[in-house]
Amino acid sequence: MEIIYNLDIVLIINLLIHSIILTKCSVRNFEIIKGIPIKNAKLYAYGEDFTCLDGTLTIPFSYINDDYCDCIDSSDEPGTSACPNGTFYCTNKGHFPLVVPSSRVNDGICDCCDGSDEWANNVQKDACPNTCKNLSHASRIEAKKIDDLFALGFEIRKQLIAKGKYLLSQKQDKIIPLMAKIKDAQFKRSILFNDKEVAKEKEDKTIEEEKSNQQNKAIKIFNEIDTNKNNKIEVEEVIAYSIFDQNKDGVVSQDEVNYFMENKKEFDLKDFLSNGWNRVNLLIFTKSFDEKQHLDKKNIKKEFLNQDFNYNSVNETEIYNIEDIEAVRLNKLLYTEKTKIIIDESKKAQVLFKEADQTVKDLQKQLYDVRKSLSKNFGSEDEFAALDGQCYELTNDEYVYKLCLFEKITQRPIKGGPEVILGVWKGWTNFINDEPQYHTMLYDRGQYCLNHYQRFAYVHLSCGLEPKLISVSELNRCEYIMEFELPSVCVIQDIKYLRKLEREEL
C-alpha cells in the first residue's frame, strides 16, 4: 500500500507543478509550447528570439513549431514532425508523462493518453479522447498486485535467509570433523599401503620361484623327451613319448604329433620353453586331473572350468574338449597351495588399500565441496544460500533445459542425444544498466560451440513466490538468457527500479 500512496503523491505533485507553471507562464506572458516538458517552458519565452538548446542558432519566436526544422538538435520543432530526430513530450495529466518520436505527431495514431500528440486531428474531429484517468486507475491496480507480490515474497525471503544462514553454519561446522576424518583415513591408508607393498613383494618373489621351478621342470622333461641327447626334440622322439598319446589308444598319431610340434620337424630348448612346454604341461596336468577326478578329458564340465579356470559361460552343463583349456593360464593352476595363498593375500591387501584410498578421496571431495559452497556469494544476507545446488527444468519443443543454481546449466535434446553444458557458475553481473545487485547470474565456460568459442548464459532473476524457470531464449548463437522467478529477490526497495523501467517502456 505504501507504493500506491507514493504513486498518488507523485501524480498530485505533478498536477500542482503543472498548475503553478501555467500560472507563472500566464503572468510572464509565456505561451505554452506544444511537445515540451513544463519545466522547459521558460526556455520558450513568448515573443522573444529562441536559441536552439544546443546553442548553435538563434531564430525568431515565430519559427517555433512552424513545421520547418531550423535547429540541428530539433528543439525548435517539439510539437511537429518536421525534424526527423526530434521528440514530443506528452504531459499526460493524471498519469505518467511520455516521450515519443516527433514522427508520431499527427500521424493518426494516439500515442499520448491525453491525445496531445494528435492535436491537429483533435481540433478537427476529436480523434484521441483523453484516457489518462483510466490508465492511471489500471496502473494503480497493477501496482497493487506487484506490491502484494513483493510483500508476500519478502516474507518468504526472510525464511530463506534464516534457512540459508543455518545451512551455511552447518557446513562450517563440518570442516573440522572432516579434516580429522581425513587425517585418520590417510593414516590407515598409509598402513595398508605398506601392507600391500610387502604382500606384493612377497607375491612377486614367490611367483619368480614358481617360474624357476617350472623352468627346471621343463628342462627335465625336455631332457626326458630328447632321448638321443642332441639338444633337440624330433618327431621320432615325440612318437616315443607316451604323454602325447591324448586319446590313449597306445599310438601317438600324426595329428597328436602336429599338435605338439606345430608342424615343425624339431624343437630346440628355446622353442620348447616358449611354446612346447605349455602344451606338454597341459597334457601332464590333464592326465593328473583325469586320474584324480575320474573324468574323461573330452567331457570336462563347464562348472569345473568356471571354478578352477576362471572361464565364464551362461550354460554350466556345456561340454568342452581339452583344446578349450589351452586358453587358460595353466601356470597359475600349477602353483602350489602355498603360492596360491600368498597370491590371494596380496590381492586382499590391494583391495583393502583401494578401499582406504577411495575413502580418503571421498572425504577430501566432501571437504572441497563444503569449502567451495562457503566461498560462494549468496547475496548480502545469504538469501540465496538455501537454493545452492537446487535444480529446475524447462522443456520447449526441442530441448530440456536444466538450471542447477550456483553450479551449471545444461541442455539435452528431447528426441535423445548427448547433454550439453551451457555454462558453469561464474558469479553475479549486471545485464541491464542500473539494475539492482544480485539480479543477474552469469554461467560461462560451457562446451565449445560451432563458432569456436564457449557457450555462456545469463540468468535474470525476478520476484516470485516460488523458484521457477520461466523462459529460455538464445540471444545469439550459443549465447543464452534465462528468466527465473524466486522469493530471494523480492526486496521492496526494488519496486522503485521496476517503476522506472515501466516509465521508460511507456
Side-chain angles (χ1 to χ4, degrees), residues 225 233-245 252-253 256-258 260-261 267:
I225 300 174
I233 296 178
E234 298 168 335
V235 174
E236 294 77 9
E237 293 170 324
V238 173
I239 293 173
Y241 200 67
S242 62
I243 195 68
F244 295 113
D245 181 15
V252 178
S253 67
E256 290 168 333
V257 171
N258 291 338
F260 172 70
M261 297 294 291
F267 266 174

Side-chain angles (χ1 to χ4, degrees), residues 1 9 85 144 150 174 179 222 291 294 319 327 337 354 379 399-400 402 435-436 458:
M1 294 300 294
I9 291 171
N85 59 336
K144 186 178 185 308
F150 270 75
K174 288 180 179 180
M179 293 176 66
F222 179 86
E291 291 173 353
H294 304 291
I319 305 297
E337 290 302 318
K354 286 182 179 179
Y399 300 104
V400 176
K402 186 175 183 180
E435 181 183 47
Y458 294 104

Side-chain angles (χ1 to χ4, degrees), residues 51-103:
T51 299
C52 303
L53 298 184
D54 62 3
T56 58
L57 180 67
T58 299
I59 58 177
F61 182 82
S62 60
Y63 285 16
I64 297 174
N65 282 337
D66 66 348
D67 207 22
Y68 183 83
C69 192
D70 298 290
C71 297
I72 297 175
D73 64 358
S74 306
S75 56
D76 65 311
E77 297 297 320
T80 74
S81 58
C83 296
N85 59 336
T87 57
F88 181 91
Y89 182 85
C90 308
T91 303
N92 290 344
K93 295 179 184 179
H95 193 48
F96 296 117
L98 179 65
V99 176
V100 299
S102 293
S103 59

